[in-house]
Amino acid sequence: MRIALFGGTFDPPHLGHLAIATAAADADAFQLDSVLFAPAGRQPLKLNDTPSSFADRLAMTTLACAEDERFHASTIDAPRHDGLPNYTADTLAELAQTMPATVLYNLVGADSFLSLPHWRDPARLLALAEWIVVSRPGFSLDDLSALALTPAQRARVHLLETVHEEVSATLLRERLRTGDPCADLLPATVAGYIKAHRLYL
Ligand code: ATP
């Protein structure tokens, strides 16, 4: 099996998320069987910035994943019983332990990858999985020297620069607050869930 972990807050999941997961799943280089969309109970770098409950984010992520049979919503990053943030290094280690025969990838957008020095245990993160880093407008992948990767670490990072999606959950939440249904940027099922549950108002 070849699996990509795709972590995020998914507040809400949007067409940018689906575009990068599709690009990774379609790429011949990775031969992915599955992309695991894993909403984070507590995202360590956004501790005060996640308006919706985990239950709502998981429900919306499950709806978004129904758009492609290779996508699956995962509870592996559900809120922890000890209340601590969900660290990707722990998640990848758990996946590696429970699925030892699996080739593991970690899928991220360019903005997330460029913030790697702020993540817990970058060296361990790069040892635990191959990384698929997808382009995002406004974030250049031309110069990764600030990350000071060793040649062996750099060899585990695969850039996918074909995605140009001008969308963020922050922008969506702002537009949704004004009553705009954002049908152009959300799967219809997710837009329906947001409306039915009166989220982001
Ligand atoms: P927010 O605006 O609330 O910070 P977001 O839109 O960045 O949210 P997240 O759920 O935090 O969404 O992102 C999960 C992952 O998806 C991250 O790795 C992020 O880099 C990536 N991602 C999100 N939107 C895009 C996009 N438009 N293009 C490329 N990558 C993206």
Side-chain angles (χ1 to χ4, degrees), residues 4-146:
L5 173 68
F6 183 26
T9 43
F10 300 113
D11 193 16
H14 51 64
L15 294 188
H17 295 127
L18 293 179
I20 84 168
T22 302
D26 285 348
D28 288 339
F30 312 127
Q31 297 287 315
L32 294 178
D33 297 297
S34 177
V35 179
L36 288 187
F37 286 55
R42 298 189 71 207
Q43 215 274 39
L45 299 178
K46 294 185 189 173
L47 289 178
N48 300 314
D49 198 19
T50 306
S52 309
S53 69
F54 177 76
D56 280 331
R57 293 184 288 114
L58 178 64
M60 291 188 284
T61 302
T62 303
L63 291 170
C65 285
E67 301 283 313
D68 189 311
E69 62 185 10
R70 299 167 297 181
F71 300 168
H72 300 98
S74 168
T75 55
I76 194 164
D77 273 340
R80 295 168 51 116
H81 296 302
D82 57 14
L84 291 174
N86 304 81
Y87 292 104
T88 303
D90 296 338
T91 313
L92 288 173
E94 188 180 332
L95 284 172
Q97 198 182 15
T98 51
M99 298 191 281
T102 297
V103 179
L104 263 186
Y105 290 86
N106 193 41
L107 172 62
V108 292
D111 58 311
S112 296
F113 187 62
L114 293 168
S115 73
L116 188 65
H118 301 288
W119 294 37
R120 172 172 282 192
D121 222 343
R124 185 163 161 246
L125 281 162
L126 287 160
L128 280 164
E130 303 269 332
W131 285 57
I132 304 171
V133 181
V134 184
S135 47
R136 183 167 192 173
F139 299 90
S140 171
L141 292 169
D142 290 344
D143 182 10
L144 298 178
S145 59

